[in-house]
Amino acid sequence: MHSTQKPRATAPNRRRVTAAMVAERAGVSTATVSLVANGKASGRVSPGNEAKVREAIRELGYVVDGIGSSLARGVSNTVIMVAPDISNPFFATVIAGVRAALGSDYHLLLSVTDAGQLPSADDTRRLLGLRPAGLLVDAPDPSFLEELSAPGPLVLLDAPGFGPEVPAVNLDVAQGARILAEHLAATGHKKVAYIDGITGTTTFEVRRSAFLEAAGALGMEVPEGALAATTINVGLAADAFAEAWPRWKKAGVTAVVCATDTHAYGVLQEARAAGISIPGELAVTGFDDLPYSMTSSPGLTSVHLPGELLGRRAAEQLLRLIVGEDLETQQVMLESTLMVRGSTVGA
């Protein structure tokens, strides 16, 4: 008995389209194909030949083998950015700055560590197998450079504490913390609480210690037990505040300083639910100055950190290193400012 089952269809064995095949179809050289395919035809390829190459590319379905060609050169056109847990929305602005500076000549590959883990030398060393043109590393472990050998072009971001010989772009978070303390002291606060971020990154240690030192010098007190910490999460920050507020209120706390705007959003959320008057009964401040801080209810007083500029400057420094240029300065420090809004000053 003959089976009526139809034979299974098989995918066609498509041959990989090469630049040589496109060149033959268009009647030009492979060098001309390369210029057109890589966006470098302007002023080097006639409009007529460029049109013929683009038509051949469409007809044949040619795709540039960026990895293969870059490995043949010994280096790729990929920049790898290694970063800790990016639950903080501030990081999106940093990436936007990096992407803007790299332009179309480089691809950006983002490698993110697990929550609470800092970028490590071991993990980064494995990424070097991709032969990146350069590395951007955000908030690495203090021992990072000692353990990472021969990294090639490298720039650190938001990494205070590394030596002046290390290319880095940092945020002056200590300056922002001092300005914040001065603002709260000037508005009459004597006892304040602090909600920190659990990340292990040096930048959070710097902003906390700078604020506490400045607050003490200005006559403000952080009562015993008025320090809390959570991961960068609105809900967890709200829960931490709800649990601590009865004690803090009893201790006379009239302001809560948060290590990030995300923490502050949680405090504002819980304060509204509990009927706490902001800023009449409690002032709330943040760090980062995310876009929502301007439109939150009330608007959030926050230390403005130029995230987009941080990413852009770091990528610009890296591009100079990639092409072999000397840096005018190894370390770039970006200023922070205080944006005063309704969460600390009433209308």
Side-chain angles (χ1 to χ4, degrees):
M1 188 170 78
H2 297 288
S3 171
T4 59
Q5 185 177 6
K6 295 182 179 180
R8 296 174 61 185
T10 57
N13 183 19
R14 298 185 61 182
R15 186 171 53 154
R16 177 176 170 270
V17 179
T18 66
M21 295 165 65
V22 175
E24 182 179 1
R25 173 70 66 94
V28 299
S29 68
T30 55
T32 298
V33 172
S34 178
L35 289 171
V36 174
N38 289 287
K40 299 178 180 180
S42 180
R44 305 168 75 177
V45 178
S46 70
N49 280 343
E50 182 177 358
K52 287 191 289 184
V53 171
R54 293 194 181 282
E55 183 179 358
I57 287 174
R58 285 193 296 270
E59 291 175 350
L60 297 175
Y62 174 64
V63 177
V64 179
D65 183 7
I67 295 178
S69 60
S70 62
L71 292 182
R73 297 193 307 270
V75 67
S76 74
N77 63 344
T78 296
V79 167
I80 296 178
M81 185 169 187
V82 187
D85 171 32
I86 58 172
S87 55
N88 187 350
F90 173 76
F91 197 72
T93 66
V94 179
I95 295 175
V98 171
R99 182 64 269 168
L102 292 181
S104 59
D105 289 337
Y106 292 90
H107 301 294
L108 179 62
L109 175 63
L110 184 62
S111 175
V112 181
T113 66
D114 292 333
Q117 299 296 314
L118 303 183
S120 72
D122 285 343
D123 291 339
T124 304
R125 196 177 297 112
R126 284 191 283 270
L127 294 172
L128 295 177
L130 298 175
R131 303 184 193 178
L135 287 173
L136 294 169
V137 184
D138 185 88
D141 184 276
S143 63
F144 178 82
L145 290 181
E146 297 176 5
E147 300 173 2
L148 184 68
S149 59
L154 167 73
V155 175
L156 305 182
L157 297 82
D158 200 12
F162 286 83
E165 72 283 356
V166 180
V169 181
N170 290 316
L171 299 166
D172 197 347
V173 294
Q175 174 200 33
R178 289 190 290 266
I179 296 173
L180 178 56
E182 292 170 0
H183 170 66
L184 291 177
T187 49
H189 296 282
K190 299 296 183 182
K191 294 186 178 182
V192 299
Y194 194 96
I195 299 181
D196 206 354
I198 300 176
T199 65
T201 55
T202 306
T203 182
F204 283 92
E205 297 175 10
V206 171
R207 61 186 74 180
R208 180 185 67 251
S209 60
F211 174 80
L212 295 179
E213 181 180 351
L218 292 164
M220 287 188 294
E221 174 191 355
V222 178
E224 183 177 354
L227 288 172
T230 76
T231 54
I232 304 173
N233 179 281
V234 172
L236 293 178
D239 291 344
F241 172 72
E243 192 274 332
W245 174 240
R247 299 194 313 274
W248 292 356
K249 182 178 181 180
K250 186 176 181 180
V253 168
T254 59
V256 176
V257 176
C258 299
T260 72
D261 283 8
T262 302
H263 287 90
Y265 299 156
V267 174
L268 291 176
Q269 172 184 296
E270 183 59 31
R272 283 194 297 269
I276 301 169
S277 172
I278 305 291
E281 186 177 358
L282 180 70
V284 181
T285 71
F287 251 91
D288 297 334
D289 191 30
L290 299 176
Y292 180 67
S293 297
M294 186 183 300
T295 58
S296 62
S297 180
L300 178 65
T301 293
S302 180
V303 175
H304 175 75
L305 301 179
E308 193 274 342
L309 184 60
L310 172 68
R312 186 150 41 92
R313 287 284 184 268
E316 289 169 352
Q317 293 285 78
L318 184 66
L319 291 175
R320 292 187 183 99
L321 293 175
I322 289 173
V323 299
E325 293 182 7
D326 292 330
L327 300 180
E328 293 182 5
T329 176
Q330 293 287 94
Q331 301 249 335
V332 177
M333 181 70 79
L334 303 178
E335 290 187 358
S336 55
T337 54
L338 183 66
M339 307 303 295
V340 177
R341 302 189 180 100
S343 68
T344 59
V345 179

